[in-house]
Every structure is written in structure tokens, then in C-alpha cells.
């Protein structure tokens, strides 16, 4: 039988730590969450390769390194209330839930949301709520958030997400074209002031939602 704990530790050492992730909260969380439970049936043997894998509805479970890099960049800390847009399999929400106090994870595909909800329940993660809906509008009833992580790429930063950040809150979102984006970090410095920075090139599946974005919208930096 496969030794998943050994595979997990190896993944963290080789694909996460050696590539520069230093945040011990993130490293410990990734040593703990059983990714083999979040991949599609028959794919468990590939769960600890550093690659995205197909899940239902033509979507993907993100590459472990990018999950780690986004959570580290979002500076998720114990006590934080976090919104994840694009719950997919529920894996990233589970990793965030190992660190934060409360995670709200939104997924637009009902079938994916239902499977993710079932997984986090079965694994006993009682601080994670998976909600079906359009995450471009955020989740006003549970705002403000200390961190918002968007796992799909849009043409611009949705205004609703910026407004739902707590002062001092961090928003990570891939911004750009359909198959190439930059990872944009937005920090809410005061009620009215935001600081944006460009963390480098990424490729995510498209963020599809109702909030109107400008086609040529770009991260400021
Ligand atoms: N975080 C996921 C995981 O750990 O498995 C991977 C997410 S996958 C790369 C991106 C997800 O974003 C897809 O499941 C897609 O359906 C979802 N998505 C795209 N636009 C969305 C929106 N407006 N609201 C909520 N989910 C959305």
C-alpha cells in the first residue's frame, strides 16, 4: 500500500521547500492535508507530483507549489478569516483551513462544490464552509476577510473583492488573458487606499463571473 505520508513529506521537501517556500505554517499544512483524497478517482498515485490534475467539470486541482506560494504570499495566519474563490476540489481550502480560523470557499459548479463539501466534512475540517456561487461578487455576509485567494484568472481585480478586504487584508488574484496571467497581490492599506504588486507569471483556468471587468484591465504594477 502507498505510503502517502512519506510521499507528502517528499513533495514538501523537494517541490515546495527547495523552491523557496519558507513559511512554516504553509509547510506544516501541506505535510498534513491528504491530497490523494482531493484528486479524481484513479489518480491518487499522482497526487504528490507537482502538477495540476484534471477534476470534474473540465477544471483542475492546482499544482501544489502554486497553492503553497499563494498562501505564503497571502500571509495567512492563525486567527484569520479567509475567502477562497474557486474551491474546485477543496484542496487549497483544506490547506488554508489548517492555518486560518475560518475559510469560506466559493465554487461556481454545483457538482464540484458538493464533492468538495463532502470531502472536507469526511476529513473532519469543521472550519471550512464550501458555498456554491459566483465568487467575483465575494461573500458580503461574511466580510471583511483578512485574506482572499482567487484560484482562477480574470482580466482585472473585481472591485467587490477589494471592498471585502479588512484593512491590512491581502488579496491574491491571477490577472491577465485567458492562458497567461500575472499573480497580483493587493493589500488594503486604509479604508480608501490599496497597494498592488506583481508577483510574476502564472497560468490559471478562467475566472467566470457576473461582475463586469474591463477587457484591458491590468494589475497596476
Ligand atoms: N482551489 C482549487 C483546488 O484546490 O482544487 C482549484 C481551483 S481551479 C484551478 C479553479 C476553480 O475556479 C474551478 O473549479 C472553477 O470552476 C472555479 N471558478 C471559476 N470562476 C469562478 C467564480 N466566478 N466563482 C467561483 N468559482 C469559480
Amino acid at each position: 500500500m502507498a505510503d502517502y505520508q512519506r510521499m507528502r513529506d517528499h513533495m514538501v521537501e523537494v517541490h515546495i521547500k527547495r523552491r523557496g517556500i519558507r513559511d512554516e505554517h504553509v509547510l506544516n499544512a501541506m505535510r498534513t492535508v491528504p491530497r490523494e483524497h482531493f484528486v479524481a478517482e484513479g489518480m491518487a498515485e499522482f497526487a504528490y507530483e507537482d502538477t495540476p490534475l484534471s477534476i470534474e467539470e473540465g477544471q483542475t486541482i492546482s499544482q501544489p507549489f502554486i497553492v503553497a506560494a499563494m498562501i505564503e504570499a497571502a500571509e495567512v495566519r492563525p486567527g484569520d478569516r479567509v475567502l477562497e474563490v474557486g474551491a474546485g476540489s477543496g484542496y487549497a481550502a483544506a490547506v488554508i483551513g489548517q492555518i486560518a480560523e475560518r475559510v469560506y470557499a466559493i465554487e461556481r459548479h454545483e457538482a464540484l462544490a458538493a464533492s468538495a463539501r463532502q470531502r472536507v466534512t469526511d476529513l473532519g475540517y469543521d472550519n471550512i464552509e464550501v458555498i456554491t456561487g459566483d465568487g467575483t461578487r465575494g461573500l458580503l455576509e461574511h466580510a471583511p476577510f483578512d485574506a482572499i485567494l482567487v484560484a482562477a484568472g480574470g482580466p482585472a481585480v473585481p472591485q467587490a473583492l477589494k471592498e471585502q478586504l479588512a484593512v491590512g487584508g491581502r488579496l491574491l488574484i491571477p490577472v491577465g488573458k485567458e492562458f497567461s496571467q500575472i499573480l497580483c497581490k493587493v493589500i488594503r492599506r486604509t479604508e480608501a487606499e490599496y497597494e498592488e504588486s506583481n508577483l510574476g507569471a502564472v497560468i490559471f483556468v478562467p475566472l467566470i463571473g457576473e461582475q463586469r471587468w474591463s477587457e484591458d484591465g491590468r494589475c497596476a504594477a
Side-chain angles (χ1 to χ4, degrees), residues 128-169:
I128 301 170
E129 192 175 329
V130 181
I131 295 144
T132 307
D134 175 7
T136 63
R137 292 182 294 187
L139 199 59
L140 197 53
E141 60 270 39
H142 294 293
F145 300 101
D146 300 296
I148 301 177
L149 290 86
V150 183
V157 182
Q159 187 61 24
L161 298 185
K162 290 172 72 168
E163 288 169 3
Q164 290 177 30
L165 279 179
V167 171

Side-chain angles (χ1 to χ4, degrees), residues 25-221:
H25 293 297
V26 178
L27 297 173
N28 286 335
M30 296 199 69
R31 284 187 193 108
T32 308
V33 177
R35 193 169 186 258
E36 70 274 15
H37 288 281
F38 292 85
V39 299
E41 222 180 307
M43 301 297 277
E45 65 180 297
F46 305 110
Y48 295 102
E49 292 185 5
D50 190 36
T51 178
L53 294 169
S54 295
I55 54 174
E56 302 153 71
E57 305 289 351
Q59 301 300 320
T60 55
I61 173 173
S62 303
Q63 174 193 7
F65 174 75
I66 195 73
V67 172
M70 284 183 74
I71 301 172
E72 181 175 69
E75 300 165 59
V76 175
R77 293 289 173 263
D80 279 358
R81 293 162 47 79
V82 180
L83 176 68
E84 194 208 8
V85 176
S89 68
Y91 174 70
V95 177
I96 298 165
Q98 289 289 313
I99 307 169
E101 182 173 312
R102 185 99 200 133
V103 184
Y104 299 92
I106 312 185
E107 172 53 53
R108 63 185 286 270
H109 286 291
E110 171 59 44
L112 283 179
S115 315
R117 198 175 293 125
Q118 191 62 53
R119 279 188 198 102
V120 298
T121 303
D122 291 349
L123 291 166
Y125 297 120
D126 58 7
N127 61 340
I128 301 170
E129 192 175 329
V130 181
I131 295 144
T132 307
D134 175 7
T136 63
R137 292 182 294 187
L139 199 59
L140 197 53
E141 60 270 39
H142 294 293
F145 300 101
D146 300 296
I148 301 177
L149 290 86
V150 183
V157 182
Q159 187 61 24
L161 298 185
K162 290 172 72 168
E163 288 169 3
Q164 290 177 30
L165 279 179
V167 171
R170 296 80 56 196
L171 163 63
L172 269 292
I173 178 167
V175 176
K177 300 200 174 78
E178 199 176 343
F179 296 109
S180 81
Q181 304 102 24
I182 56 114
L183 185 58
C184 182
K185 179 174 181 177
V186 181
I187 303 176
R188 187 171 199 172
R189 291 293 182 199
T190 65
E191 278 297 326
E193 288 170 311
Y194 296 87
E195 181 185 304
E196 294 190 1
S197 53
N198 172 350
L199 303 190
V202 286
I203 304 175
F204 274 84
V205 298
L207 178 70
I208 297 166
E210 282 175 14
Q211 177 151 339
R212 190 165 58 86
W213 311 321
S214 102
E215 268 310 308
D216 59 353
R218 286 288 182 279
C219 183

